[in-house]
Amino acid sequence: MRQPHPTRRSLVAAGAALALPGTVLAQAKAPLVGPLAPNPQAFRQAMEQFIGKARPQADGLLLDVPVLADNPSGVPVKVKITLPITEQDWCEEIIVLAELNPSPLACRLQFTAAAGTAEASVRLRLAQSQTVHALARMKSGKVLATKQAVTVAASGCGM
C-alpha cells in the first residue's frame, strides 16, 4: 500500500479517499476574508433602511426555512403574511436577508392590494450557517419581522 505524502492529510469515507494538502485544510478552518466574508455593515444598513422609525412586530409574518440545509446553493425559503389582506391594509414589500452572506439582501418582493395575498417561495444560496431574516412592510406603516437559524451542511456560495 502506498504511503500518503507527509504534507498531505487524507479523508476516507465509504471506500473512497481524498488527499488534501495541509494548506487547504488550514484554509478551510480559517475565517472568511475578502469579498466572500460576511458584511455586517451592509446587513445593519439593510435592516435600518427597511425598518426606518417603525417598531417591528413578530406576529403576522411566517418564515419557513429548514433548520438543516443539506444543499447550501439552494435553500428553500417561504415567506407568508398571515394577517388579513384588505383594500385598506396590505403588504407592500417583503425582504429576505441572509445575515452572514457577503451580500445580505437575498431578495426583495413587492405587492399591490390586487394580489390578494402576500407570500413567496425562493431558494437562497447561503455562505455558511447563519440566521435568515424576513421583514415585511404593510400599507399602514407596520413592519413585521421574523428570523430562523439555519445550519449549513456544506460550504456554500461557490466556496
Side-chain angles (χ1 to χ4, degrees):
M1 185 166 139
R2 198 171 86 172
Q3 293 295 322
H5 190 276
T7 62
R8 296 179 186 259
R9 297 220 172 108
S10 297
L11 300 173
V12 178
L18 172 65
L20 298 173
T23 55
V24 171
L25 292 172
Q27 289 172 354
K29 294 177 185 175
L32 293 174
V33 292
L36 296 179
N39 190 342
Q41 181 180 356
F43 173 74
R44 279 192 307 277
Q45 184 180 11
M47 289 281 282
E48 291 168 0
Q49 193 174 43
F50 190 85
I51 294 171
K53 295 181 181 181
R55 176 175 277 194
Q57 71 178 49
D59 296 336
L61 183 60
L62 175 71
L63 176 63
D64 185 13
V65 182
V67 176
L68 177 63
D70 59 350
N71 178 7
S73 294
V75 179
V77 175
K78 183 176 182 180
V79 183
K80 181 180 182 178
I81 299 292
T82 59
L83 296 176
I85 302 293
T86 65
E87 288 186 25
Q88 293 76 34
D89 195 25
W90 69 89
C91 176
E92 292 183 317
E93 188 172 22
I94 294 175
I95 64 170
V96 178
L97 301 168
E99 188 173 328
L100 297 178
N101 273 7
S103 297
L105 181 60
C107 71
R108 179 179 300 269
L109 306 154
Q110 296 179 332
F111 301 91
T112 66
T117 186
E119 66 180 275
S121 294
V122 296
R123 291 196 177 263
L124 303 182
R125 177 175 274 175
L126 297 179
Q128 58 185 298
S129 297
Q130 59 185 291
T131 301
V132 174
H133 298 256
L135 297 114
R137 184 181 306 111
M138 302 297 287
K139 177 68 175 170
S140 63
K142 188 182 327 183
V143 173
L144 312 175
T146 188
K147 61 185 176 180
Q148 171 68 46
V150 180
T151 300
V152 172
S155 172
C157 285
M159 297 181 285

